[in-house]
Amino acid sequence: VDILEFLRNSKYWQRTGGRDHIIPMHHPNAFRFLREQVNASILIVADFGRSSKSTSNLRKDVVAPYVHVVDSYTDDDVPDPFKSRTTLLFFRGRTVRKDEGVVRAKLAKILADYEDVHFERSVASEESIKLSKQGMRSSKFCLHPAGDTPSSCRLFDAIVSHCVPVIISDQIELPFEDELDYSEFSVFFSTKEALKPSYMVEQLRKVPEERWVKMWNKLKNISHHYEFQNPPKRDDAVDMLWRQIRHKIPFSILDDHRTRRLKIPDWWGKRR
C-alpha cells in the first residue's frame, strides 16, 4: 500500500498513469490483490496463473523465466547423448499442488510401473537439488507438469540440463516466445492427453533418435538465454527481458496517446 501511494504521488507516474513504468512481480502472489491498481504498467511475471484477464495479458506484459536451481550443464559433450541418457522420463518434486497442479498426484500413479521412468516425490533441499541435477543429466525427457501455477523453475532446470522438457499445462505462457519456438526443443501434452494411461510414455518412446538429438542440440544452443548474470551479457536472460520490454513500448505509447484524447470510457473494450 505504501508503494502504491508513493507511485500515485510521483509526477512520473502521473504523467502517463504508470503506462511507461515497468514493475517486476515475478512471484505469483506479488501484488495479488492490488494488481488492478498498477495494471496500466508493463508487468514482468512468471506466468498468468493467478492473474485475471483484466489485469495481465501478453499484449503489454512480459513473461520471465525462473532462475534455474540446478547448475548449468556446460560440458555436455558426450559422443552419443541418446544412448548415454538411459532414463526415458524424469520427475523429482512435490506432488501435492493446487489448481492445475493436482495433475501431479495423478501422474504419480500413471507413471509408477515403468522401469525407465523416474517419478519421485521430494521436497527442496541441497541434497534434492543435487539428485535432480544428476537425474536430469541422465534422462532424455524431463517432466514439467503444472504446479500451483502453470510454470516453475523445473522447466528451466531441464533446459540448462539439456533434458528435453515435457510440458503438461493447458494454461502456460512461456518466456521469449516471439523469438524462440519451443516446439523445436520441447514436447507438449494437454492435461487430458497426459492422464490417458500409457499414452504419454508411448508417444515419447516413438520420438526418433534423430529428432531427439536435434532437440538436444537446440537446447545446448539456446540455454544461455535463461542465464541471469551480473553484469548482463548479450543474449542472456536480462538482455532478452529488455528486448521483450522494448517490444511492448509501442503498445504502451499507443494506450497513453489514446487515453489523452478519449472523451468517454474506451469503447473498444466494450465491443462484442
Side-chain angles (χ1 to χ4, degrees), residues 3 7 12-13 15-26 31 38-45 60-64 238 241-249 252:
I3 294 175
L7 288 173
Y12 303 106
W13 182 273
R15 182 177 57 196
T16 64
R19 288 184 177 85
D20 57 356
H21 283 53
I22 302 161
I23 303 180
M25 49 177 65
H26 200 250
F31 276 72
V38 293
N39 189 40
S41 302
I42 297 172
L43 309 180
I44 300 179
V45 300
K60 72 174 186 66
D61 297 326
V62 173
V63 179
V238 177
L241 283 172
W242 280 114
R243 275 154 51 178
Q244 295 293 301
I245 291 167
R246 184 184 63 196
H247 297 164
K248 307 296 182 180
I249 295 298
S252 174

Side-chain angles (χ1 to χ4, degrees), residues 35-271:
R35 286 191 179 184
E36 289 188 5
Q37 299 183 51
V38 293
N39 189 40
S41 302
I42 297 172
L43 309 180
I44 300 179
V45 300
D47 54 45
F48 299 112
R50 291 184 179 166
S51 301
S52 67
K53 292 180 180 179
S54 64
T55 56
S56 293
N57 61 75
L58 286 173
R59 183 175 181 268
K60 72 174 186 66
D61 297 326
V62 173
V63 179
Y66 282 89
V67 175
H68 59 84
V69 176
V70 304
D71 295 332
S72 298
Y73 199 175
T74 56
D75 56 348
D76 188 6
D77 298 317
V78 293
D80 193 342
F82 189 80
K83 290 183 179 178
S84 67
R85 292 180 178 246
T86 54
T87 300
L88 176 70
L89 181 63
F90 178 86
F91 173 86
R92 200 168 194 282
R94 295 179 182 271
T95 56
V96 180
R97 300 278 82 178
K98 305 172 185 175
D99 300 324
E100 262 199 311
V102 297
V103 71
R104 293 190 183 187
K106 297 176 181 178
L107 287 170
K109 297 178 181 178
I110 291 174
L111 299 173
D113 298 323
Y114 294 96
E115 290 185 2
D116 56 352
V117 173
H118 184 100
F119 193 105
E120 181 180 357
R121 299 173 179 85
S122 72
V123 295
S125 67
E126 186 174 340
E127 180 65 16
S128 178
I129 293 170
K130 179 181 177 181
L131 293 172
S132 292
K133 179 181 74 173
Q134 294 171 354
M136 288 183 169
R137 292 185 179 187
S138 60
S139 302
K140 295 179 177 69
F141 298 96
C142 285
L143 191 64
H144 175 67
D148 289 342
T149 62
S151 189
S152 74
C153 64
R154 181 172 290 98
L155 169 59
F156 309 104
D157 288 343
I159 289 173
V160 300
S161 300
H162 311 150
C163 180
V164 176
V166 176
I167 299 174
I168 303 171
S169 172
D170 300 330
Q171 301 176 8
I172 195 169
E173 297 296 344
L174 298 164
F176 320 140
E177 202 164 8
D178 60 346
E179 298 193 47
L180 299 176
D181 181 355
Y182 278 76
S183 68
E184 294 181 349
F185 55 87
S186 306
V187 180
F188 293 84
F189 292 96
S190 68
T191 301
K192 183 179 179 180
E193 289 173 330
L195 294 180
K196 290 169 60 177
S198 75
Y199 176 79
M200 181 167 60
V201 171
E202 289 177 359
Q203 294 302 308
L204 294 177
R205 291 195 199 285
K206 291 178 182 177
V207 175
E209 178 177 347
E210 182 180 0
R211 183 189 171 202
W212 183 88
V213 171
K214 188 175 182 179
M215 290 191 286
W216 173 76
N217 275 314
K218 187 69 175 181
L219 285 167
K220 293 175 66 177
N221 290 333
I222 57 90
S223 61
H224 63 286
H225 294 315
Y226 302 90
E227 301 289 352
F228 286 90
Q229 301 176 96
N230 185 20
K233 296 181 180 179
R234 182 177 177 84
D235 291 335
D236 72 357
V238 177
D239 186 45
M240 293 287 282
L241 283 172
W242 280 114
R243 275 154 51 178
Q244 295 293 301
I245 291 167
R246 184 184 63 196
H247 297 164
K248 307 296 182 180
I249 295 298
F251 296 110
S252 174
I253 295 172
L254 171 64
D255 288 342
D256 179 45
H257 290 177
R258 290 185 72 248
T259 300
R260 290 171 187 262
R261 55 89 173 167
L262 286 171
K263 298 297 184 181
I264 59 173
D266 193 354
W267 62 274
W268 188 263
K270 297 180 181 180
R271 295 182 72 213

